[in-house]
Amino acid sequence: MWRTTFLHDRLDRNAAGGVLFWLISRRLPQVEKRHGVAAMTIVFVAFANYFAMALGQGDIFFNGRTVYFARYTDWVITTPILLASLAMFAGNTLSRIATLLAALIAADVYMIVTGLVGNLSSAPYNYYWWIISMVAFLVVLGLIWGPLRQRASEDGQMAPFSKLASMLTALWVCYPIVWLVGSSGAELISVTVESWLYLVLDVTAKVGFGFVALSAARQGQS
Amino acid sequence: MWRTTFLHDRLDRNAAGGVLFWLISRRLPQVEKRHGVAAMTIVFVAFANYFAMALGQGDIFFNGRTVYFARYTDWVITTPILLASLAMFAGNTLSRIATLLAALIAADVYMIVTGLVGNLSSAPYNYYWWIISMVAFLVVLGLIWGPLRQRASEDGQMAPFSKLASMLTALWVCYPIVWLVGSSGAELISVTVESWLYLVLDVTAKVGFGFVALSAARQGQS
Amino acid sequence: MWRTTFLHDRLDRNAAGGVLFWLISRRLPQVEKRHGVAAMTIVFVAFANYFAMALGQGDIFFNGRTVYFARYTDWVITTPILLASLAMFAGNTLSRIATLLAALIAADVYMIVTGLVGNLSSAPYNYYWWIISMVAFLVVLGLIWGPLRQRASEDGQMAPFSKLASMLTALWVCYPIVWLVGSSGAELISVTVESWLYLVLDVTAKVGFGFVALSAARQGQS
Ligand SMILES: CC1=C(/C=C/C(C)=C/C=C/C(C)=C/C=O)C(C)(C)CCC1
Ligand SMILES: CC1=C(/C=C/C(C)=C/C=C/C(C)=C/C=O)C(C)(C)CCC1
Ligand SMILES: CC1=C(/C=C/C(C)=C/C=C/C(C)=C/C=O)C(C)(C)CCC1
């Protein structure tokens, strides 16, 4: 079973990540604790979803195919937090960027939910949903590199913002590609390879991103 | 199939509405962009739900009847945004009316979710749920025409507020009536007629309301 | 049927509680209305969920056992409101404690959702989920008695905060115990006894807590 190796590895990293983030958070100045809360929440949500997948409780058999819906319940909660984490670097007073953050999260949730519906659909409908999800993804990227970036530069936060936004963009663009070649799309790669790809992406996009955000926050730059 | 004509028509209007709102939003002053975000989000959420209904993915066969649950997932997201949009005219500083908005949205979500449960129930339970949903609806109306209206008048926003609140009330009262005579209630009208009625209501309550809100916002009155 | 006696009793109390809270709320100073909104929302959400259970719509037969999932949809909405209600005593300006509240609610929702997954799992998985849910519960308690308590003391709100936090802690610790000995765990008690225990806990944790919070708020201490 790929599950055993794959998911135990994932669970261990997650648990380790969570504890580490907690230790780092303790040493953050009061106002930066929110970055610690974000990073820890992400890790523990992922933990529960991977635990469910490891126990075989996070997938359903649908349209003649196994759909790992726990992946989407993970993403739909963690990606808005990641975006909020990024937005917190673009403006210290959350209220100033509240509209922007609302738009970002609306587009993001839209992207994940339409991606899930696509995964629950058989061909060719799944591709229609992929296109709709991609449009939402482009809106997310457009908001990050347009108005959010402008706010960050006004606030003199360009250095940490650019680093995090580039990292986020580079990682996130891989997801729709894996989706397209994986079991949700053209099935060009095996489920095992697909799961490993998502594993590497998830660890980097969650734990890696968390470290970079926390270290930027500790430098008092956020 | 009523689906083809009906839903393609709906999808086209929605896509057109979304693009139009985006064009209008570009010309709004910075602080009024939130009205554009609200209008666009509403249109795109409706788009996804109607798309699912058009593909036959948004309904389930339950208790011997087809239930278009995608209608409720649409409403449960879009109606709170409509109410928030209205509340933004009643007080510029969101924090000042946060309690009121929380109460409005709580009652609204309650109304939609109990309406869905009613649609999933067979007679006479569906009518019990209709009554419960109606009570929540009356609370929503009471909050709009009571405390929210008072706030709007204190802020000198009575003109745009009254126009929007009247439009909202006139349109929203039609929904429980269609529900009652339609497939979820007494089945006095056919599913085709019911769907057309909801279509006209939805376009007016979403796209029409959005236009009125955006034009009021552009006049710098919000 | 235990349902009839048990749930009608529950429904009556709830309806009465809701109306009472409304009467009390009317006499609160403007800034304290939020406590009334919280208490009323809790009562009406519980009402809908108990109504569904009374009609037999809130349970599913799963893994050879009846799972009252409406209990969890109730809790997942009402417990964050209870925590927000408590946090509102620990700092008048919500923005000052926003990070803390976000962490509290994240841990709380995590606790309820993992508890539901546990109830949907068969042994021994259900116990694994119970442990995960307990960890989240300890985080909730740690946040209440650590940083939240400190904020309350800084704000000179120790008297009402301590009363409410002690009441909450004493009541909430009973839930995981009932879960463990009830139908979701070792089945040492009958479903009827389990339901009565949850009934008494829910009435006290919702209606009782609401009264104490409202009366503290009326004394102008929050
Ligand atoms: C555009 C697109 C997708 C994008 C997914 C993304 C961007 C997921 C990111 C997840 C992260 C960052 C998780 C870690 O916390 C889907 C849903 C695959 C469906 C196809 C289209
Ligand atoms: C009172 C009531 C209802 C009210 C529905 C409303 C008011 C829906 C509004 C929808 C809108 C405005 C959508 C457009 O964005 C239901 C759920 C039919 C169920 C029966 C009782
Ligand atoms: C720790 C734990 C639990 C805690 C439940 C609690 C604390 C529920 C509180 C409910 C309230 C207060 C409702 C009233 O509004 C569960 C989910 C039983 C699962 C097992 C572990």
Side-chain angles (χ1 to χ4, degrees), chain A residues 42 72 74-75 78-79 82 111-112 115 130 133-134 137 172 175-176 179 198 202 205-206:
Chain A
I42 286 170
Y72 296 92
D74 171 351
W75 293 349
T78 57
T79 54
L82 290 169
M111 170 184 84
I112 303 295
W130 184 86
S133 183
M134 276 304 289
F137 184 39
W172 288 34
Y175 284 90
W179 195 98
Y198 279 133
D202 266 12
K206 289 188 172 93

Side-chain angles (χ1 to χ4, degrees), chain C residues 11 84 91 110 166 177 198:
Chain C
L11 288 173
Y110 197 87
S166 310
I177 300 170
Y198 279 133

Side-chain angles (χ1 to χ4, degrees), chain B residues 134-203:
Chain B
M134 275 304 289
V135 172
F137 184 40
L138 294 178
V139 170
V140 169
L141 292 182
L143 288 170
I144 289 176
W145 290 104
L148 202 60
R149 184 162 165 277
Q150 193 180 319
R151 282 293 172 101
S153 89
E154 282 165 17
D155 273 31
Q157 299 282 336
M158 273 309 273
F161 179 83
S162 290
K163 194 198 286 175
L164 282 164
S166 310
M167 183 175 177
L168 190 147
T169 307
L171 288 166
W172 289 34
V173 290
C174 303
Y175 285 91
I177 300 171
V178 175
W179 195 98
L180 209 56
V181 299
S183 65
S184 35
E187 296 183 87
L188 302 178
I189 58 175
S190 74
V191 172
T192 314
V193 172
E194 181 189 0
S195 297
W196 277 98
L197 288 175
Y198 278 133
L199 163 65
V200 174
L201 287 174
D202 266 12
V203 171

Side-chain angles (χ1 to χ4, degrees), chain A residues 10 42 46 50 71-72 74-75 78-79 82 108 111-112 115 119 130 133-134 137 167-185 189 194-207 209:
Chain A
R10 184 70 181 82
I42 286 170
Y50 271 91
R71 183 163 288 145
Y72 296 92
D74 171 351
W75 293 349
T78 57
T79 54
L82 290 169
D108 175 71
M111 170 184 84
I112 303 295
N119 202 349
W130 184 86
S133 183
M134 276 304 289
F137 184 39
M167 184 176 177
L168 189 147
T169 306
L171 288 166
W172 288 34
V173 292
C174 303
Y175 284 90
I177 300 171
V178 175
W179 195 98
L180 208 56
V181 299
S183 65
S184 36
I189 57 174
E194 181 189 359
S195 297
W196 277 99
L197 288 175
Y198 279 133
L199 163 65
V200 173
L201 286 174
D202 266 12
V203 171
T204 326
K206 289 188 172 93
V207 183
F209 186 89

Side-chain angles (χ1 to χ4, degrees), chain A residues 30-31 33-35 37 41 43-49 51-52 55 57, chain C residues 63 99-100 102-103 106 110 114 117 120-122 125-126 128-129 132 151:
Chain A
Q30 189 61 37
V31 70
K33 289 256 195 265
R34 53 195 178 158
H35 287 288
V37 170
T41 306
V43 166
F44 289 117
V45 168
F47 170 80
N49 281 286
F51 190 62
L55 299 180
Q57 301 182 317
Chain C
N63 280 343
T99 304
L100 210 49
Y110 197 87
T114 52
V117 175
L120 292 169
S121 311
S122 40
Y125 294 165
N126 57 344
Y128 300 167
W129 286 110
I132 293 174
R151 282 292 172 99

